[in-house]
Amino acid sequence: MPSYRTTARGLLLLLLVGGFCGTANAAVPSLAFPVVGNVSFTNDYGAPRPGGWHQGNDIMARWRAPAIAAERGTVELHTGSTLGTCMLYLQGASGYTYVYIHLNNDLTAKSEDSGGCKEGVAYAPGLRTGDFVRKGELLGYVGDSGDAENGMDHLHFEIRKNGTPQNPYNHLLAARHVLYPKPATLDPIWLLLKGTVRSVTADTLEVTVGKIRMSNGWRFYYTRRVTLALSGETVYQQSSSSGVVASSSAGVKPGDAVRVWTTNFAPTWQTQVANPGVLAAHTVRTG
Ligand SMILES: [Zn+2]
C-alpha cells in the first residue's frame, strides 16, 4: 500500500512543519494571562484599524479588572501620549516586550476621564518606571483611556521582539488565568471569596466565586470555580437577620450563598493558579 505510506509520510512532514512553527513561537515563555477576571478576545491581530493595522489583541474585560505582569520583568510607565492613553511597557526577562494600552483613567464607571494616568487609577499603587515585577504582579487596571474612549473597556495587549510585533493570540490561549493579582511583596495575604456553594465533601468545598476581596483591600469581580481545602480547623458560621452564629460543616449545602475567608498564604505563582485544594478555607459563612 505505497500510496498510504506516502500519505502518512506527507502527514508526518506536515506535523513536523507545524511543530517547527510552534517551536519558533515557543520562545515566548508561558505567560500569566494579563487580565484577572472574565474576558473575551479574538484573533484580531493584523485587522485594519484607523491609523494602521492592529498590532495586538484586544482583551475585553470589566472596568478596573486587574492587569498583571505576563512574565517577570521591568516596567516603564508611559503617560505622555497625545491621545491621553495610559499605557505601560513590560520588558520581560525573556527578551520579549509586552505592551499594555488603554489602562483606566476614570474614577467612576461613567468614563468621565477625571482620574488621569495616576497610580491607583491607571497603575498599581506605588508602581514606578524601572520597578522589577514578578510574573502575575498587579500592574494596573483595565479601562478605556486614549482612543478607546466611548468604546468598551479593554486591554490592548502586544508582544514585541526587538520592536517587531508578534501575534499574541496563541500565547493568550495558552496563558494561565490566575485567581488574584500578586502584590509587590510576598508578605502573607488572605482572600475573601463571595459566591455560591457548588459541592462540599469532608475535605473540600467547591465554590462558584463572583467577587473577590484581598486582605490588602484590593477587590474585583471574577466568576470562576475555586475548590478549597477544609480541615478540622475550619470555622463554620451562618449569617441570619439576628447576626452571625456558629454553624457546622453539615450546614453547608450546594446552592447556598457563601463567603469564604482563606487561611493566610504567601502570594506565590502556585496560589495564584489556585488548583483544587491549594487554598484552604479558614472561615466558611453561609446565608
Ligand atoms: Zn487594540
Side-chain angles (χ1 to χ4, degrees):
M1 306 281 276
S3 62
Y4 278 94
R5 279 177 195 277
T6 311
T7 308
R9 196 172 296 152
L11 193 61
L12 183 63
L13 188 66
L14 275 176
L15 288 170
L16 284 170
V17 168
F20 187 75
C21 292
T23 309
N25 279 333
V28 175
S30 75
L31 303 180
F33 195 90
V35 176
V36 178
N38 303 98
V39 296
S40 64
F41 60 99
T42 61
N43 191 0
D44 56 356
Y45 180 84
R49 292 291 165 91
W53 58 280
H54 197 229
Q55 303 194 353
N57 288 152
D58 288 341
I59 302 168
M60 316 312 289
R62 198 181 177 111
W63 177 60
R64 277 190 67 84
I68 62 170
E71 69 157 307
R72 67 194 170 92
T74 306
V75 294
E76 183 187 331
L77 313 190
H78 190 82
T79 59
S81 145
T82 50
L83 293 169
T85 311
C86 310
M87 56 183 284
L88 68 79
Y89 297 90
L90 169 62
Q91 309 289 350
S94 67
Y96 285 85
T97 300
Y98 308 89
V99 190
Y100 295 69
I101 298 181
H102 307 310
L103 296 174
N104 177 51
N105 63 346
D106 301 316
L107 294 179
T108 69
K110 291 180 181 145
S111 188
E112 80 301 314
D113 304 340
S114 57
C117 297
K118 303 272 174 56
E119 67 175 291
V121 178
Y123 304 109
L127 189 70
R128 301 278 184 275
T129 289
D131 282 355
F132 174 82
V133 292
R134 295 180 181 85
K135 182 179 181 178
E137 191 170 320
L138 182 70
L139 300 179
Y141 307 93
V142 171
D144 66 356
S145 65
D147 60 3
E149 295 291 358
N150 308 316
M152 288 172 71
D153 292 314
H154 71 278
L155 177 68
H156 171 101
F157 181 73
E158 294 181 17
I159 302 179
R160 297 180 190 170
K161 179 74 172 181
N162 301 323
T164 306
Q166 324 269 317
N167 188 346
Y169 187 65
N170 286 333
H171 304 294
L172 289 175
L173 288 179
R176 297 302 300 265
H177 290 256
V178 303
L179 179 63
Y180 69 90
K182 190 178 283 179
T185 74
L186 290 178
D187 296 341
I189 61 168
W190 49 258
L191 305 179
L192 167 55
L193 309 171
K194 296 184 191 179
T196 308
V197 174
R198 267 188 69 83
S199 66
V200 58
T201 70
D203 31 60
T204 62
L205 172 65
E206 188 187 15
V207 176
T208 301
V209 172
K211 267 168 134 174
I212 300 176
R213 181 157 70 82
M214 297 171 59
S215 51
N216 63 2
W218 295 351
R219 50 183 80 210
F220 50 96
Y221 295 85
Y222 193 179
T223 301
R224 67 172 258 176
R225 290 182 202 173
V226 179
T227 300
L228 299 121
L230 300 174
S231 75
E233 319 257 282
T234 306
V235 175
Y236 296 92
Q237 300 175 336
Q238 169 114 41
S239 68
S240 66
S241 50
S242 52
V244 175
V245 294
S247 180
S248 72
S249 58
V252 182
K253 299 194 173 55
D256 283 351
V258 71
R259 282 190 275 179
V260 182
W261 286 261
T262 69
T263 56
N264 287 335
F265 61 90
T268 59
W269 175 248
Q270 191 195 17
T271 60
Q272 283 190 288
V273 173
N275 282 331
V278 168
L279 298 180
H282 177 280
T283 301
V284 177
R285 183 186 295 172
T286 52

